[in-house]
Amino acid sequence: MTEHGVVGEWVDASGHDAASGSTDAVVLYLHGSAFAICSARTHRGLVSRLSRETGLPVFVVDYRLAPEWPFPSAADDVERAYQWLLDTGYEPDRIVIAGDSAGGHLALDLIIDNARRRVPQPAAVVLFSPLIDLTFALAERRERRRKDPMISAAAARALTSLYTRGQQPHIPRLRLAIESGTVLPPFLVQAGGAEMLVADADHLLEIVQSEAGTCVLEIWPDQMHVFQALPRLSPEADPALRRAARFIRAELGRLPSESTASSTRIETPCSD
């Protein structure tokens, strides 16, 4: 689907007619893979399961990829997609942002940009194995303690550098600088205990806490990067996705005046 400059795909296992705007809530999904590979199609399986578990339609942004489209192309496409949902008629407190890996960086950039432009924030943010530190310094420190079974920090940095080439790593939109006093939506973050980006997940928890926001961080022991997408390999994939779906439904069911639970880090999630 292409509309008003927004490219993406509706994935609906909820039984609603998402494209017609007949539902009042939606998930905006930002796929990962280092800003350079993957698409709405590659994430269709994960997103359809998320749609089924939440009972919500999901719109997956097919943002432009590096190296043909370097920074800030992907971030601009995500911003455009969020604004398009607002313009379509979705209320901000009926939109949930979700994503994995590099989609985590894009999600936090959107939240920061919303605050800067005074655009209403979404109801909540759900992230799987988010990439936050594009220098991979945090990942390298984690790697020295336990190697990631999927990829090295050096290889991941080489991929993301296709997106960030020519940019200084510490410019605000790449290091995700948050202005003091920024009001953040509630976050749920899930990361695998075996992946190097568990360090980024911890860093994101610290960022949200520093602004008095709320973030539930779940570390799933011995799981790999975005294990939620691999139900045939990981018995924990479906329980983790169900927990994410419950969080989404709970946040969408809150009144604006209601507060979320305090930030917390859970090493071993309860059985589903």
Side-chain angles (χ1 to χ4, degrees):
M1 183 220 81
T2 302
E3 187 172 333
H4 300 290
V6 176
V7 181
E9 177 177 273
W10 283 106
V11 176
D12 189 5
S14 69
H16 299 300
D17 182 6
S20 72
S22 61
T23 57
D24 75 336
V26 66
V27 176
L28 177 62
Y29 197 90
L30 316 178
H31 74 77
S33 292
F35 311 100
I37 53 178
C38 287
S39 65
R41 174 178 289 185
T42 61
H43 280 64
R44 195 176 290 164
L46 171 60
V47 172
S48 64
R49 288 167 49 235
L50 182 62
S51 175
R52 183 175 63 248
E53 293 294 342
T54 58
L56 297 171
V58 183
F59 184 75
V60 189
V61 187
D62 248 337
Y63 55 81
R64 291 168 292 174
L65 299 177
E68 291 82 3
W69 297 100
F71 172 84
S73 300
D76 288 348
D77 290 349
V78 168
E79 175 191 313
R80 187 178 299 111
Y82 181 70
Q83 187 61 53
W84 171 71
L85 287 177
L86 294 176
D87 294 342
T88 299
Y90 287 102
E91 296 296 328
D93 62 0
R94 305 302 292 163
I95 301 173
V96 171
I97 307 299
D100 65 90
S101 196
H105 193 281
L106 293 170
L108 188 53
D109 177 77
L110 173 66
I111 298 304
I112 295 170
D113 194 58
N114 284 348
R116 179 182 61 80
R117 297 187 299 118
R118 299 189 178 181
V119 173
Q121 296 287 16
V125 180
V126 173
L127 300 176
F128 307 132
S129 302
L131 169 62
I132 303 298
D133 172 24
L134 296 188
T135 72
F136 286 87
L138 295 173
E140 284 181 330
R141 284 201 290 271
R142 169 69 181 184
E143 194 176 48
R144 287 194 286 271
R145 293 169 49 202
R146 181 175 183 176
K147 289 191 178 298
D148 190 305
M150 291 183 66
I151 193 171
S152 69
R157 186 192 298 110
L159 270 176
T160 59
S161 68
L162 298 174
Y163 180 63
T164 61
R165 69 179 188 272
Q167 304 291 334
Q168 293 299 316
H170 296 298
I171 64 173
R173 288 191 72 185
L174 290 182
R175 68 182 177 89
L176 299 177
I178 301 180
E179 292 185 10
S180 179
T182 298
V183 177
L184 302 172
F187 282 72
L188 171 68
V189 180
Q190 295 178 342
E195 65 171 314
M196 62 185 177
L197 290 189
V198 70
D200 287 52
D202 276 322
H203 180 55
L204 178 54
L205 175 62
E206 293 171 0
I207 290 174
V208 176
Q209 287 178 324
S210 72
E211 296 303 322
T214 60
C215 178
V216 176
L217 169 58
E218 296 180 352
I219 307 300
W220 289 70
D222 300 320
Q223 294 304 300
M224 64 181 67
H225 188 60
V226 197
F227 67 94
Q228 298 86 347
L230 304 169
R232 293 186 179 181
L233 296 179
S234 170
E236 287 81 1
D238 283 335
L241 204 65
R242 284 194 290 268
R243 287 173 68 91
R246 284 199 295 269
F247 176 86
I248 289 171
R249 292 195 301 269
E251 293 304 327
L252 288 173
R254 294 180 188 276
L255 296 173
S257 60
E258 290 182 311
S259 60
T260 56
S262 300
S263 296
T264 185
R265 187 185 196 275
I266 304 172
E267 284 282 355
T268 308
C270 302
S271 336
D272 184 74

